[in-house]
Amino acid sequence: MFITFEGIDGSGKSTQAALFSKWLIEHKQRRAILTREPGGWPGGALLRDLVVSGSLRHQWSEAFLFMLDRAEHVATVIQPALDSGSDVVCERYHDSTLAYQVWGRGLPLDTFDQLAKLSAFPVPDLTVLFDISPERGLRRAKSRGKLDSFEKEGISFMTKIRDGYLALSKRDPDRWLIIECTEESSEEVFSILIKSLVSRGIFCDK
Ligand code: TMP
């Protein structure tokens, strides 16, 4: 299965993605890889630094870089793993581009829909959205240290991203699972995630 984890900055998706891939391997005896965007392929670190540095000037530059990052990530990591029968847990994917570059930056949705189709990006079987208020997300991002260029955009930008995610989840509700994160610990959020999967009949086989 191809499972993507999404959310605004500070939503806790990295912790959950790590716990989830470990759970797939240890509790479900599945083959699974954990990867992420941007930068989850050999050579991706350079691109990641460039795109989160805030130094790009043309309004399409960051969008092109995220699409290039995804294309190489799909070709070198995601598709080979899926083809070999492994599960792929990916922290951020095309929905991040839709939420950040379309809802956040105001670029056109249909262009990115077409590009994803043209590029034959595999569509996730499941996308988990960790939904957190922008205020709490930014507080958590700040507590981790230096903010990247997206986090520095502040509450109003993060509010647009969150609205984007919620709108995207309504376009394709069968693919999306929304986990509301309020004051729970990461262990509690993980337990809610597993219960939600079970109630949807996902990964109940063993
Ligand atoms: P990260 O902090 O989750 O690793 O991601 C770095 C930043 O990149 C984050 O603020 C979200 C942003 N981003 C986009 O704007 N578009 C994208 O397509 C992706 C994958 C990430």
Side-chain angles (χ1 to χ4, degrees):
M1 271 185 92
F2 181 24
I3 307 121
T4 55
F5 279 31
E6 296 282 355
I8 63 169
D9 297 81
S11 59
K13 64 190 160 17
S14 310
T15 309
Q16 296 302 321
L19 289 171
F20 185 64
S21 55
K22 195 164 174 258
W23 179 83
L24 283 177
I25 295 165
E26 291 179 4
H27 286 262
K28 295 284 156 183
Q29 283 81 47
R30 294 177 72 103
R31 275 194 298 128
I33 64 153
L34 171 63
T35 185
R36 69 164 183 178
E37 293 188 357
W41 52 282
L46 201 67
L47 193 144
R48 182 187 171 85
D49 288 349
L50 188 60
V51 86
V52 299
S53 67
S55 60
L56 302 170
R57 288 293 160 260
H58 193 283
Q59 66 157 346
W60 279 86
S61 297
E62 76 179 23
F64 288 144
L65 281 185
F66 282 121
M67 295 302 282
L68 184 153
D69 179 71
R70 185 155 309 120
E72 283 308 299
H73 191 211
V74 164
T76 60
V77 177
I78 296 176
Q79 198 62 61
L82 292 173
D83 290 346
S84 77
S86 181
D87 291 321
V88 174
V89 179
C90 186
E91 204 188 306
R92 296 199 180 284
Y93 187 60
H94 193 60
D95 293 301
S96 279
T97 300
L98 301 182
Y100 281 76
Q101 278 65 55
V102 172
W103 267 265
R105 302 281 195 224
L107 298 180
L109 177 62
D110 57 339
T111 304
F112 289 95
D113 280 343
Q114 279 175 21
L115 284 172
K117 261 199 200 127
L118 272 175
S119 317
F121 290 156
V123 177
D125 300 295
L126 174 72
T127 296
V128 185
L129 171 63
F130 295 90
D131 186 35
I132 188 172
S133 73
E135 290 79 6
R136 185 155 180 251
L138 277 180
R139 239 191 348 263
R140 288 173 50 144
K142 273 185 194 144
S143 72
R144 289 193 304 236
K146 207 165 157 264
L147 298 181
D148 70 27
S149 63
F150 293 92
E151 292 159 347
K152 279 188 196 145
E153 298 271 348
I155 298 280
S156 65
F157 185 68
M158 284 302 149
T159 303
K160 287 191 216 166
I161 312 300
R162 181 178 181 220
D163 291 347
Y165 276 129
L166 294 173
L168 288 166
S169 71
K170 293 196 179 89
R171 284 207 312 180
D172 192 3
D174 289 345
R175 173 163 69 88
W176 289 75
L177 171 64
I178 302 178
I179 307 287
E180 281 168 28
C181 306
T182 45
E183 295 302 321
E184 297 86 356
S185 66
S186 49
E187 291 77 16
E188 285 165 335
V189 172
F190 185 64
S191 147
I192 295 170
L193 167 63
I194 299 301
K195 280 188 194 136
S196 310
L197 291 178
V198 169
S199 71
R200 278 211 190 181
I202 303 171
F203 295 121
C204 290
D205 49 324
K206 272 188 209 164

Short mmCIF file of all heavy atoms in Angstrom, two decimals, residues 21 35 73 206:
data_model
loop_
_atom_site.label_atom_id
_atom_site.label_comp_id
_atom_site.label_asym_id
_atom_site.label_seq_id
_atom_site.Cartn_x
_atom_site.Cartn_y
_atom_site.Cartn_z
N SER A 21 5.36 3.31 10.32
CA SER A 21 6.14 2.38 9.50
C SER A 21 6.73 1.28 10.39
O SER A 21 6.78 0.11 10.00
CB SER A 21 7.23 3.11 8.71
OG SER A 21 8.04 3.83 9.57
N THR A 35 9.65 7.20 3.87
CA THR A 35 10.37 8.22 3.10
C THR A 35 9.63 9.55 3.24
O THR A 35 8.60 9.62 3.92
CB THR A 35 10.53 7.75 1.62
OG1 THR A 35 11.34 8.69 0.93
CG2 THR A 35 9.20 7.59 0.91
N HIS A 73 11.78 11.30 -6.85
CA HIS A 73 11.43 10.47 -5.68
C HIS A 73 10.58 9.28 -6.12
O HIS A 73 10.80 8.15 -5.70
CB HIS A 73 10.68 11.37 -4.69
CG HIS A 73 10.47 10.76 -3.34
ND1 HIS A 73 9.38 11.06 -2.56
CD2 HIS A 73 11.21 9.87 -2.63
CE1 HIS A 73 9.47 10.37 -1.43
NE2 HIS A 73 10.56 9.65 -1.45
N LYS A 206 -3.98 -9.34 9.77
CA LYS A 206 -3.22 -10.21 10.69
C LYS A 206 -3.36 -9.69 12.09
O LYS A 206 -3.39 -8.48 12.29
CB LYS A 206 -1.73 -10.18 10.31
CG LYS A 206 -1.39 -11.23 9.28
CD LYS A 206 0.13 -11.27 9.11
CE LYS A 206 0.54 -11.69 7.72
NZ LYS A 206 1.93 -11.37 7.44
#
